[in-house]
């Protein structure tokens, strides 16, 4: 079946702009995770959804970051007033049940200029 | 101490060699552990899950040492295609939040 998909694959934006990153998980997976990965580092947890609700958003770095999953499937990560330090690869993963094997999307490479 | 620590390497080994990586973790309450493989500019992919003392899948063996709080990954008969970064994942005890190590880079040369 179809895996996790993410769009766009690449996004270049200017400092201060607003961006939205989309994740389409594997059908039927209730758990959805967002991560951020910088060069030479492992993925850094941002937020975890169980169904429609954000079960844990403790990894979001500040209030410029927000994510939603209104129907328990597709999720959108939103970043306001982007900064150069936000440049990274944003990865989405889904699993069912939570904490079991996670399936990752190809990521969105965000570059803030 | 970081929650999950890995030697970043790189580990340079010839084809056919046996190589092992360790991953230490700080949360003694963690119950399940995972090894992921990540190729350059690609997403991580699950390699092995470890729920008890260990797991074996072909050339790959993962072992868990709860007393010393580390998990290891052993690769036998290394292939060129094994060249990648190997990420250790330890969920925070009592929660559903996975913590990734920074990964260990493996380079298998002819």
């Amino acid at each position: 079946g179809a895996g996790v998909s993410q769009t766009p694959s690449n996004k270049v934006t200017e400092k201060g702009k607003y961006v939205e990153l989309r994740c389409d998980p594997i059908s039927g997976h209730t758990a959805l995770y967002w991560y951020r990965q910088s060069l030479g580092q492992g993925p850094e947890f941002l937020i975890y959804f169980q169904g429609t609700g954000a079960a844990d958003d403790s990894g979001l770095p500040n209030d410029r970051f927000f994510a939603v999953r209104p129907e328990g499937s597709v999720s959108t990560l939103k970043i306001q007033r982007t900064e150069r330090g936000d440049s990274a690869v944003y990865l989405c993963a889904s699993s069912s049940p939570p904490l079991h094997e996670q399936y990752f999307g190809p990521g969105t490479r965000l570059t803030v200029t | 101490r970081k929650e999950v620590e890995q030697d970043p390497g790189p580990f340079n080994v010839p084809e056919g060699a046996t190589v092992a990586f360790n991953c230490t973790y700080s949360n003694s309450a963690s119950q399940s552990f995972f090894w992921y493989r990540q190729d350059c500019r690609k997403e991580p992919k699950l390699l092995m899950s470890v729920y008890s003392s260990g797991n074996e899948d072909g050339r790959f063996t993962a072992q868990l040492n709860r007393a010393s709080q580390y998990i290891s990954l052993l690769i036998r008969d290394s292939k060129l295609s094994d060249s990648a970064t190997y990420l250790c994942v330890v969920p925070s005890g009592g929660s559903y939040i996975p913590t990734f190590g920074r990964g260990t880079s493996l380079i298998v040369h002819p």
Side-chain angles (χ1 to χ4, degrees):
Chain A
V4 179
S5 61
Q6 291 186 248
T7 55
S9 55
N10 279 283
K11 176 70 178 178
V12 180
T13 191
E14 292 180 350
K15 180 175 176 295
K17 299 289 189 184
Y18 168 82
V19 296
E20 288 190 355
L21 312 179
R22 176 188 166 111
C23 171
D24 204 334
I26 291 173
S27 177
H29 278 191
T30 56
L32 186 147
Y33 295 80
W34 282 99
Y35 298 89
R36 177 168 70 175
Q37 187 172 26
S38 300
L39 195 63
Q41 301 298 318
E44 173 194 6
F45 167 76
L46 296 177
I47 186 169
Y48 154 59
F49 287 90
Q50 178 58 33
T52 60
D56 192 315
D57 64 358
S58 61
L60 295 178
N62 51 59
D63 61 6
R64 295 186 298 104
F65 289 74
F66 189 71
V68 295
R69 193 186 186 198
E71 297 177 357
S73 179
V74 172
S75 176
T76 304
L77 178 66
K78 309 180 182 195
I79 310 175
Q80 298 178 320
R81 304 184 303 280
T82 51
E83 299 177 356
R84 292 195 181 89
D86 298 335
S87 297
V89 175
Y90 288 81
L91 293 163
C92 173
S94 70
S95 70
S96 188
L99 266 194
H100 276 230
E101 293 82 351
Q102 294 191 32
Y103 295 86
F104 282 82
T108 294
R109 183 173 300 276
L110 176 66
T111 303
V112 182
T113 62
Chain B
R1 180 181 179 183
K2 289 184 181 177
E3 286 191 58
V4 180
E5 292 199 62
Q6 293 184 257
D7 180 346
F11 284 61
N12 260 286
V13 303
E15 272 187 291
T18 295
V19 62
F21 317 129
N22 277 350
C23 167
T24 58
Y25 62 93
S26 59
N27 192 327
S28 59
S30 299
Q31 295 295 316
S32 53
F33 308 84
F34 304 90
W35 282 101
Y36 281 75
R37 171 197 168 123
Q38 186 171 28
D39 293 290
C40 188
R41 300 180 77 88
K42 298 288 188 182
E43 70 273 22
K45 292 186 177 177
L46 180 71
L47 180 66
M48 298 188 78
S49 308
V50 185
Y51 295 106
S52 56
S53 61
N55 193 5
E56 185 172 331
D57 183 5
R59 298 183 294 110
F60 298 83
T61 301
Q63 289 196 316
L64 168 63
N65 186 317
R66 289 191 188 275
S68 300
Q69 292 185 210
Y70 73 86
I71 58 173
S72 62
L73 178 66
L74 180 79
I75 305 175
R76 289 179 294 277
D77 188 24
S78 300
K79 311 290 185 192
L80 295 176
S81 57
D82 293 335
S83 298
T85 295
Y86 291 84
L87 297 160
C88 167
V89 183
V90 180
S92 300
S95 79
Y96 293 118
I97 307 309
T99 301
F100 280 76
R102 65 176 296 183
T104 296
S105 175
L106 172 66
I107 300 170
V108 181
H109 58 83

Short mmCIF file of all heavy atoms in Angstrom, two decimals, chain B residues 1-4 24-33 51-52 64-71 90-95 99:
data_model
loop_
_atom_site.label_atom_id
_atom_site.label_comp_id
_atom_site.label_asym_id
_atom_site.label_seq_id
_atom_site.Cartn_x
_atom_site.Cartn_y
_atom_site.Cartn_z
N ARG B 1 24.03 13.60 31.46
CA ARG B 1 24.10 12.53 30.46
C ARG B 1 22.93 12.66 29.49
O ARG B 1 21.81 12.87 29.89
CB ARG B 1 24.03 11.18 31.16
CG ARG B 1 24.10 9.98 30.21
CD ARG B 1 23.99 8.69 31.00
NE ARG B 1 24.04 7.54 30.12
CZ ARG B 1 23.91 6.28 30.53
NH1 ARG B 1 23.74 6.04 31.81
NH2 ARG B 1 23.95 5.27 29.69
N LYS B 2 23.22 12.56 28.19
CA LYS B 2 22.15 12.65 27.20
C LYS B 2 21.26 11.43 27.33
O LYS B 2 21.69 10.36 27.75
CB LYS B 2 22.74 12.72 25.79
CG LYS B 2 23.43 14.05 25.49
CD LYS B 2 23.89 14.06 24.05
CE LYS B 2 24.60 15.37 23.74
NZ LYS B 2 25.13 15.38 22.36
N GLU B 3 19.99 11.59 26.88
CA GLU B 3 19.06 10.47 27.00
C GLU B 3 19.51 9.25 26.19
O GLU B 3 19.36 8.12 26.63
CB GLU B 3 17.68 10.91 26.52
CG GLU B 3 16.97 11.81 27.52
CD GLU B 3 15.52 12.02 27.14
OE1 GLU B 3 14.79 11.03 27.03
OE2 GLU B 3 15.14 13.17 26.93
N VAL B 4 19.99 9.50 24.98
CA VAL B 4 20.43 8.43 24.10
C VAL B 4 21.76 8.85 23.48
O VAL B 4 21.83 9.91 22.85
CB VAL B 4 19.40 8.15 22.98
CG1 VAL B 4 19.88 7.01 22.09
CG2 VAL B 4 18.04 7.82 23.59
N THR B 24 23.85 3.86 24.35
CA THR B 24 23.53 3.90 25.78
C THR B 24 22.33 4.81 26.00
O THR B 24 22.13 5.79 25.27
CB THR B 24 24.72 4.41 26.60
OG1 THR B 24 25.10 5.71 26.13
CG2 THR B 24 25.91 3.48 26.47
N TYR B 25 21.53 4.49 26.99
CA TYR B 25 20.34 5.28 27.28
C TYR B 25 20.25 5.55 28.77
O TYR B 25 20.79 4.80 29.59
CB TYR B 25 19.07 4.59 26.76
CG TYR B 25 18.79 3.24 27.37
CD1 TYR B 25 17.96 3.11 28.48
CD2 TYR B 25 19.35 2.08 26.83
CE1 TYR B 25 17.70 1.88 29.05
CE2 TYR B 25 19.10 0.84 27.39
CZ TYR B 25 18.27 0.74 28.50
OH TYR B 25 18.03 -0.49 29.06
N SER B 26 19.54 6.60 29.13
CA SER B 26 19.52 7.01 30.53
C SER B 26 18.23 6.63 31.26
O SER B 26 18.22 6.51 32.48
CB SER B 26 19.73 8.52 30.64
OG SER B 26 18.73 9.21 29.94
N ASN B 27 17.14 6.41 30.52
CA ASN B 27 15.86 6.15 31.15
C ASN B 27 15.67 4.66 31.39
O ASN B 27 15.39 3.91 30.47
CB ASN B 27 14.72 6.69 30.29
CG ASN B 27 13.40 6.71 31.01
OD1 ASN B 27 13.12 5.85 31.86
ND2 ASN B 27 12.57 7.69 30.71
N SER B 28 15.82 4.25 32.63
CA SER B 28 15.77 2.82 32.96
C SER B 28 14.37 2.24 32.81
O SER B 28 14.20 1.03 32.82
CB SER B 28 16.29 2.59 34.38
OG SER B 28 15.50 3.31 35.30
N ALA B 29 13.36 3.10 32.67
CA ALA B 29 11.99 2.61 32.54
C ALA B 29 11.64 2.21 31.11
O ALA B 29 10.57 1.65 30.87
CB ALA B 29 11.01 3.68 33.04
N SER B 30 12.49 2.52 30.16
CA SER B 30 12.19 2.20 28.76
C SER B 30 12.05 0.70 28.57
O SER B 30 12.81 -0.09 29.14
CB SER B 30 13.31 2.74 27.86
OG SER B 30 13.40 4.14 27.97
N GLN B 31 11.04 0.32 27.77
CA GLN B 31 10.73 -1.09 27.59
C GLN B 31 11.00 -1.61 26.19
O GLN B 31 11.20 -2.80 25.99
CB GLN B 31 9.25 -1.33 27.92
CG GLN B 31 8.90 -1.08 29.38
CD GLN B 31 9.61 -2.07 30.31
OE1 GLN B 31 9.65 -3.26 30.05
NE2 GLN B 31 10.19 -1.56 31.39
N SER B 32 10.95 -0.73 25.21
CA SER B 32 11.15 -1.17 23.83
C SER B 32 12.20 -0.28 23.18
O SER B 32 12.36 0.88 23.56
CB SER B 32 9.84 -1.10 23.05
OG SER B 32 9.25 0.18 23.16
N PHE B 33 12.90 -0.86 22.25
CA PHE B 33 14.04 -0.18 21.62
C PHE B 33 14.05 -0.51 20.14
O PHE B 33 13.55 -1.55 19.72
CB PHE B 33 15.35 -0.66 22.27
CG PHE B 33 15.36 -0.56 23.76
CD1 PHE B 33 14.81 -1.57 24.54
CD2 PHE B 33 15.88 0.55 24.39
CE1 PHE B 33 14.77 -1.47 25.92
CE2 PHE B 33 15.86 0.67 25.77
CZ PHE B 33 15.31 -0.35 26.54
N TYR B 51 12.41 -5.94 22.04
CA TYR B 51 11.45 -5.85 23.14
C TYR B 51 11.89 -6.63 24.37
O TYR B 51 11.42 -6.39 25.46
CB TYR B 51 10.07 -6.35 22.69
CG TYR B 51 9.45 -5.49 21.61
CD1 TYR B 51 9.40 -5.92 20.29
CD2 TYR B 51 8.94 -4.23 21.91
CE1 TYR B 51 8.84 -5.13 19.30
CE2 TYR B 51 8.37 -3.44 20.92
CZ TYR B 51 8.33 -3.90 19.62
OH TYR B 51 7.78 -3.11 18.64
N SER B 52 12.75 -7.59 24.20
CA SER B 52 13.23 -8.36 25.36
C SER B 52 14.75 -8.30 25.36
O SER B 52 15.32 -7.24 25.25
CB SER B 52 12.70 -9.79 25.30
OG SER B 52 13.07 -10.40 24.08
N LEU B 64 20.10 -6.35 24.09
CA LEU B 64 19.76 -5.37 25.11
C LEU B 64 20.42 -5.77 26.42
O LEU B 64 20.31 -6.92 26.85
CB LEU B 64 18.23 -5.32 25.29
CG LEU B 64 17.69 -4.55 26.50
CD1 LEU B 64 18.06 -3.08 26.43
CD2 LEU B 64 16.18 -4.74 26.59
N ASN B 65 21.08 -4.83 27.04
CA ASN B 65 21.66 -5.04 28.37
C ASN B 65 21.02 -4.03 29.31
O ASN B 65 21.43 -2.86 29.37
CB ASN B 65 23.18 -4.85 28.32
CG ASN B 65 23.86 -5.18 29.64
OD1 ASN B 65 23.37 -4.81 30.70
ND2 ASN B 65 24.97 -5.89 29.57
N ARG B 66 20.00 -4.47 30.02
CA ARG B 66 19.25 -3.55 30.88
C ARG B 66 20.09 -3.09 32.08
O ARG B 66 19.97 -1.96 32.52
CB ARG B 66 17.97 -4.21 31.38
CG ARG B 66 16.91 -4.39 30.33
CD ARG B 66 15.58 -4.79 30.94
NE ARG B 66 14.62 -5.14 29.92
CZ ARG B 66 13.85 -4.25 29.29
NH1 ARG B 66 13.94 -2.96 29.58
NH2 ARG B 66 12.99 -4.65 28.38
N ALA B 67 20.91 -3.98 32.59
CA ALA B 67 21.70 -3.63 33.78
C ALA B 67 22.64 -2.46 33.48
O ALA B 67 22.79 -1.54 34.29
CB ALA B 67 22.49 -4.84 34.25
N SER B 68 23.24 -2.50 32.31
CA SER B 68 24.18 -1.44 31.94
C SER B 68 23.54 -0.38 31.06
O SER B 68 24.20 0.57 30.66
CB SER B 68 25.39 -2.04 31.22
OG SER B 68 26.05 -2.97 32.04
N GLN B 69 22.27 -0.57 30.73
CA GLN B 69 21.49 0.40 29.95
C GLN B 69 22.14 0.71 28.61
O GLN B 69 22.44 1.87 28.30
CB GLN B 69 21.23 1.67 30.77
CG GLN B 69 20.30 1.39 31.94
CD GLN B 69 19.92 2.65 32.72
OE1 GLN B 69 19.67 2.57 33.93
NE2 GLN B 69 19.86 3.78 32.06
N TYR B 70 22.33 -0.35 27.84
CA TYR B 70 22.74 -0.11 26.46
C TYR B 70 22.16 -1.20 25.57
O TYR B 70 21.81 -2.29 26.02
CB TYR B 70 24.28 -0.06 26.31
CG TYR B 70 25.01 -1.38 26.42
CD1 TYR B 70 25.17 -2.20 25.29
CD2 TYR B 70 25.56 -1.78 27.64
CE1 TYR B 70 25.85 -3.39 25.40
CE2 TYR B 70 26.24 -2.98 27.73
CZ TYR B 70 26.38 -3.78 26.61
OH TYR B 70 27.06 -4.97 26.71
N ILE B 71 22.02 -0.86 24.29
CA ILE B 71 21.67 -1.83 23.28
C ILE B 71 22.77 -1.82 22.23
O ILE B 71 23.43 -0.79 22.01
CB ILE B 71 20.30 -1.56 22.63
CG1 ILE B 71 20.24 -0.17 21.99
CG2 ILE B 71 19.18 -1.71 23.63
CD1 ILE B 71 18.96 0.06 21.18
N VAL B 90 15.07 5.15 21.59
CA VAL B 90 14.64 4.70 22.91
C VAL B 90 13.44 5.55 23.31
O VAL B 90 13.59 6.76 23.51
CB VAL B 90 15.76 4.86 23.94
CG1 VAL B 90 15.28 4.38 25.32
CG2 VAL B 90 17.00 4.09 23.51
N PRO B 91 12.26 4.96 23.42
CA PRO B 91 11.12 5.74 23.89
C PRO B 91 11.30 6.15 25.33
O PRO B 91 11.80 5.38 26.14
CB PRO B 91 9.94 4.78 23.74
CG PRO B 91 10.41 3.76 22.77
CD PRO B 91 11.88 3.62 23.01
N SER B 92 10.88 7.37 25.64
CA SER B 92 10.94 7.83 27.03
C SER B 92 10.01 6.97 27.87
O SER B 92 8.86 6.77 27.50
CB SER B 92 10.51 9.30 27.11
OG SER B 92 11.35 10.10 26.34
N GLY B 93 10.48 6.47 28.98
CA GLY B 93 9.69 5.59 29.81
C GLY B 93 8.37 6.22 30.22
O GLY B 93 8.34 7.36 30.65
N GLY B 94 7.29 5.50 30.04
CA GLY B 94 5.99 6.01 30.47
C GLY B 94 5.32 6.94 29.48
O GLY B 94 4.25 7.44 29.75
N SER B 95 5.98 7.18 28.35
CA SER B 95 5.35 8.06 27.37
C SER B 95 5.49 7.45 25.98
O SER B 95 6.07 6.38 25.82
CB SER B 95 6.01 9.44 27.38
OG SER B 95 7.22 9.41 26.66
N THR B 99 13.03 8.95 21.53
CA THR B 99 14.23 9.77 21.48
C THR B 99 15.25 9.06 20.60
O THR B 99 15.59 7.91 20.82
CB THR B 99 14.82 9.98 22.89
OG1 THR B 99 13.83 10.61 23.71
CG2 THR B 99 16.05 10.87 22.81
#
